[in-house]
Structure formats: C-alpha cells, structure tokens
Amino acid sequence: MLIESTAYASRWRDVAPSAKALFALAGVVAAWVARSPYALAALTAVLVLTALVGARVPLRAYAATVLPPLGFLLISCAAMLFGPDAQGDWRWSGAMLPVVVHTALRSLAMLAALSGLVLSTPMPGLLALMRRLRMPELLLDMMVLCYRMLFVLRQAWDEGVTAQSARLGYRGWRQAWRSTGLLAGQMAVQVWQRAAALQMAADARVCQGALRFLPVVYPQARRQCMVAALAGALLVALAVGDRL
C-alpha cells in the first residue's frame, strides 16, 4: 500500500512506464557491468537521487520501502563474513571482505534502480507495460486479482480495527493481542470467501479471455523514452569505462 500510494503521488506518475523501465534496466545493466566499488557507489547515489529529486519520492517512504531488502542483504553479507571452518567453529573470514563489499554495492545499485521504477509507476501502468511485453495473460490476471484484494482486505481490516476500538478492544496490551488475533482469524475467513467468489466469477465466464482495462495514453512517450535511453546510455557508459 505504501509503494502504491507513493507511486500515485510521484511527480513522474504521468511519465510513460516504458521510459522508466528502460532507465531502470540501464541501471541494472550498469550495476552488473561496473567493477570498482567507487563506480558502484556513484551509480547507487545517482539512482537514489534520481528517485528522490527527479521523481520527488519522499525520503521516509523510500527508506521504508528499501529497509526490508536492506535487512536481507545485511544478513546475507554477515553470513558470508562469519562462517564455520573445517573444525565447525564460527570464525571471521577476512578474505571474503572484498567480495562481500562488491556484492553489497552491486545489490544496492540494482535495488536503487528497481525501487525508482516501482515508487514512481502505479501498478496499472506496470501491468500495461507487461502486457505490451507479451507476458502470460494468466500471470497478469493473477496480479490484477491480488492487486484488487490488497485494497479490499485493507479496507476490511481498517473497518474491523475501528469497530474493535469503539468497543475498547485495544484498552491494554493483553486486550490488544486478543483483538488482533480475533480480527486476523476473521480476516482469514473473509479471504477464503472472497477467493471463492472470484473463482465462481472466473468459472462463470469459462476463464476465457483476459481482464481488460482502459489503456492510459502517454502523448510524450516517444520523447520520454529517448530521454530515458540517453540517460541510461550514460549510466552504462560510466560502468563500461570503469570496467575498461
């Protein structure tokens, strides 16, 4: 929900998704090609500033979005630096430090490239782009249904919390835990019921044809793609120059 609301509030919301995807792809390619830590750090900084300054993504929303993958990356790096030796004892492996630093910086650059894309492009735009790229229609239909269910379940959850709060369901921590458990159990039932209703609707149309939506027109898509291609080419050129 945070990612979607941030994408709708982004200044680049009306920019063609193909242009933003092209720039993100160039960032991923540049991160893969670059070799030195300085180039990877500079590439990461450029991609982060592009999202924060260019797309005007709020810093708090950006940090909240990248925090979970950063935690996963931190755990992975720690597992590479601390590991069992031949005797089964856990020791510090200093020889792996250059590899860990390079892997972490490359992952950060790719994360920055993809984060800039998803935080500035609403989900319908991404779905339309994937449909143009000939992604399987079944996969796109599943993504649409999951996307819709997120909003339905969030509304149901908020209404349940409001009703429980009106009955003093969160008066103390013990009562709050009990109310949360009851609400979670009720939500599980609602998920099952709504999934069954969606399945009946799919069976009613014999699951033929894809879900269609009114396409969004981007009058300046060609010019925006050219600008994105030029900016992406500069990133790739920076990475190639570093590798050479």
Side-chain angles (χ1 to χ4, degrees):
M1 299 296 293
L2 175 62
I3 295 176
E4 194 66 8
S5 60
T6 303
Y8 273 101
S10 171
R11 188 174 68 172
W12 286 356
R13 171 187 173 183
D14 296 329
V15 176
S18 55
K20 291 178 284 189
L22 182 61
F23 181 75
L25 178 61
V28 172
V29 172
W32 184 261
V33 173
R35 178 176 297 177
S36 69
Y38 303 103
L40 289 171
L43 179 62
T44 303
V46 169
L47 293 172
V48 172
L49 289 176
T50 300
L52 297 179
V53 179
R56 291 186 181 177
V57 176
L59 179 60
R60 180 175 298 180
Y62 191 92
T65 303
V66 302
L67 188 60
L70 283 180
F72 176 79
L73 179 61
L74 180 62
I75 295 174
S76 301
C77 293
M80 295 173 66
L81 290 174
F82 295 91
D85 55 12
Q87 289 74 27
D89 299 328
W90 286 78
R91 298 182 181 275
W92 164 269
S93 179
M96 290 292 295
L97 186 58
V99 178
V100 171
V101 171
H102 185 269
T103 302
L105 289 175
R106 174 176 288 176
S107 301
L108 286 175
M110 292 185 178
L111 175 62
L114 297 178
S115 298
L117 172 63
V118 300
L119 288 174
S120 61
T121 310
M123 191 64 179
L126 292 176
L127 291 173
L129 177 62
M130 287 186 285
R131 178 168 280 115
R132 290 178 56 189
L133 295 176
R134 306 298 182 183
M135 296 290 290
E137 292 291 345
L138 177 60
L139 176 61
L140 297 179
D141 286 351
M142 294 296 296
M143 294 177 64
V144 170
L145 295 178
C146 293
Y147 174 75
R148 173 58 181 163
M149 287 294 294
L150 287 177
F151 292 92
V152 173
L153 297 179
R154 178 59 184 271
Q155 181 181 3
W157 181 272
D158 292 341
E159 291 175 353
V161 171
T162 301
Q164 289 180 329
S165 300
R167 298 193 300 268
L168 303 179
Y170 295 89
R171 183 172 48 183
W173 68 270
R174 183 174 299 178
Q175 188 71 13
W177 275 105
R178 180 177 182 276
S179 299
T180 303
L182 292 174
L183 182 58
Q186 181 62 28
M187 289 295 296
V189 176
Q190 289 194 23
V191 170
W192 180 80
Q193 292 175 343
R194 293 177 185 271
L198 290 174
Q199 181 64 38
M200 291 178 60
D203 293 339
R205 63 186 181 94
V206 202
C207 296
Q208 293 181 355
L211 298 175
R212 296 297 178 182
F213 300 92
L214 184 65
V216 181
V217 179
Y218 300 94
Q220 300 180 353
R222 179 171 298 181
R223 183 178 67 86
Q224 292 167 352
C225 288
M226 292 179 60
V227 173
L230 178 61
L234 292 177
L235 295 179
V236 176
L238 174 65
V240 172
D242 172 71
R243 193 176 186 88
L244 297 178

